[in-house]
């Protein structure tokens, strides 16, 4: 026969157990709301569904995407970016949103945690930014940016040439020219020249910068900008407004000095 104190302990344990099950739905909702906030504004995991970025990224890899970085700096050449192709790249096979709200919810959860790929999201490397002239190929078969050849050996898929097709594109301001590292299979800016933007994609469609492979653990590594994009000549387009301002200011300085000398 149980004592009175033992009965009290059993009652307290039952209450705690009941309290846990009552609080569980609240905890689940809070966890989902937190995941939504993080996914929307900070970080998001993305699933790699294709071979277009091999060997930098392999099929079924998961990467973390920084969604804040482009609030503090511009997109740079060499960045690996995730972007939406909506209203920019026509889809070869139109995707359909799940009609069932429960299926739509689970698809959202899967996309948020990088378990399933986004239907209209792409991941590519930025080759040219607004104002750049991107061409292929020069006499040695290389891609050039503003006349400067890129050494793509550190990220180009082994055995691939920089491009099997010739192209020349002037990237409009506010847009980007992007290409996959596995050039032979990548459907990138080269394959979308007949789409709106001539193959380029709007900067405001960029979701964020892929900066870390998180799965599988054996491939965990950071995604840095290759050194070839640090060449000064390749950055001429970005410096053009400053150079133009300097060129316009020099005559004014010269005239001012002449005027002061006459006085």
């Amino acid at each position: 026969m149980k004592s009175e104190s033992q009965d009290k302990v059993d009652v307290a344990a039952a209450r705690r157990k009941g309290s846990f099950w009552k609080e569980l739905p609240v905890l689940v909702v809070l966890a989902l709301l937190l995941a939504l906030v993080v996914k929307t504004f900070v970080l998001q995991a993305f699933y790699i569904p294709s071979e277009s970025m091999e060997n930098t990224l392999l099929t079924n890899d998961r990467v973390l995407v920084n969604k804040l970085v482009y609030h503090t700096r511009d997109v740079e050449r060499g960045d690996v970016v995730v972007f939406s192709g909506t209203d920019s790249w026509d889809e070869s096979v139109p995707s359909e949103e799940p009609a069932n709200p429960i299926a739509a919810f689970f698809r959202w959860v899967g996309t948020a945690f990088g378990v399933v790929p986004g239907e209209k999201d792409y991941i590519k490397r930025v080759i040219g930014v607004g104002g750049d002239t991107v061409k292929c190929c020069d006499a040695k078969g290389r891609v050039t940016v503003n006349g400067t050849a890129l050494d793509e050996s550190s990220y180009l898929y082994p055995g691939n040439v920089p491009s099997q097709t010739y192209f020349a594109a002037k990237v409009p301001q506010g847009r980007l020219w992007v290409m996959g590292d596995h050039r032979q299979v990548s459907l990138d800016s080269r394959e979308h020249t007949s789409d709106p933007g001539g193959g380029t994609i709007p900067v405001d469609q960029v979701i964020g910068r892929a900066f870390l492979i998180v799965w599988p653990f054996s491939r965990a590594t950071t995604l840095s900008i290759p050194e070839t994009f640090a060449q000064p000549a390749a950055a001429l387009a970005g410096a053009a407004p400053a150079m133009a301002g300097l060129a316009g200011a020099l005559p004014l300085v010269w005239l001012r000095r002449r005027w002061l000398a006459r006085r």
Side-chain angles (χ1 to χ4, degrees):
M1 185 174 181
K2 291 184 180 180
S3 66
E4 185 178 346
S5 60
Q6 184 63 46
D7 287 339
K8 290 181 179 179
V9 170
D10 291 344
V11 170
R15 286 177 177 173
R16 284 196 298 270
K17 187 175 180 180
S19 176
F20 169 77
W21 289 110
K22 289 178 182 178
E23 292 174 358
L24 183 60
V26 177
L27 293 174
V28 171
V29 170
L30 288 175
L32 289 173
L33 287 175
L34 181 60
L36 176 62
V37 170
V38 172
K39 171 186 177 294
T40 304
F41 300 107
V42 186
L43 293 174
Q44 185 174 352
F46 276 86
Y47 171 94
I48 306 302
S50 73
E51 304 171 347
S52 69
M53 281 296 292
E54 291 182 338
N55 277 337
T56 304
L57 300 172
L58 304 182
T59 305
N60 299 323
D61 278 356
R62 272 73 164 179
V63 297
L64 274 186
V65 172
N66 184 336
K67 306 180 87 169
L68 292 177
V69 63
Y70 296 132
H71 294 286
T72 60
R73 71 164 174 87
D74 294 334
V75 180
E76 295 180 5
R77 304 171 192 85
D79 280 348
V80 175
V81 297
V82 172
F83 61 94
S84 170
T86 305
D87 300 326
S88 185
W89 284 6
D90 292 337
E91 296 177 277
S92 55
V93 180
S95 60
E96 295 184 4
E97 295 294 330
N100 186 321
I102 296 177
F105 170 76
F106 281 107
R107 170 166 287 282
W108 174 85
V109 172
T111 302
F113 290 95
V115 177
V116 296
E119 291 284 336
K120 300 176 183 178
D121 296 335
Y122 300 84
I123 185 164
K124 304 291 180 189
R125 188 180 299 277
V126 177
I127 303 298
V129 299
D132 284 345
T133 298
V134 184
K135 293 183 180 181
C136 191
C137 303
D138 68 0
K140 294 184 178 180
R142 299 170 298 185
V143 171
T144 63
V145 179
N146 305 322
T148 299
L150 299 179
D151 177 4
E152 302 189 279
S153 58
S154 67
Y155 57 85
L156 202 63
Y157 186 81
N160 276 196
V161 294
S163 182
Q164 293 177 303
T165 58
Y166 286 81
F167 62 85
K170 177 74 172 179
V171 184
Q173 292 295 336
R175 301 185 75 89
L176 306 168
W177 180 272
V178 295
M179 299 170 73
D181 290 353
H182 194 169
R183 299 286 162 79
Q184 236 171 283
V185 302
S186 178
L187 301 178
D188 48 41
S189 286
R190 299 167 298 164
E191 306 299 322
H192 290 272
T193 53
S194 61
D195 291 349
T200 62
I201 58 111
V203 171
D204 59 14
Q205 291 288 71
V206 173
I207 296 168
R209 176 178 181 264
F211 71 99
L212 183 67
I213 300 174
V214 293
W215 183 263
F217 291 133
S218 60
R219 285 181 37 76
T221 187
T222 56
L223 300 171
S224 57
I225 298 177
E227 290 184 6
T228 190
F229 291 97
Q231 297 177 87
L236 282 177
M243 294 298 291
L246 179 60
L250 286 175
L252 295 176
V253 173
W254 180 79
L255 288 172
R256 180 176 179 275
R257 287 183 176 177
R258 288 289 299 266
W259 179 77
L260 290 174
R262 287 179 180 177
R263 292 187 63 186

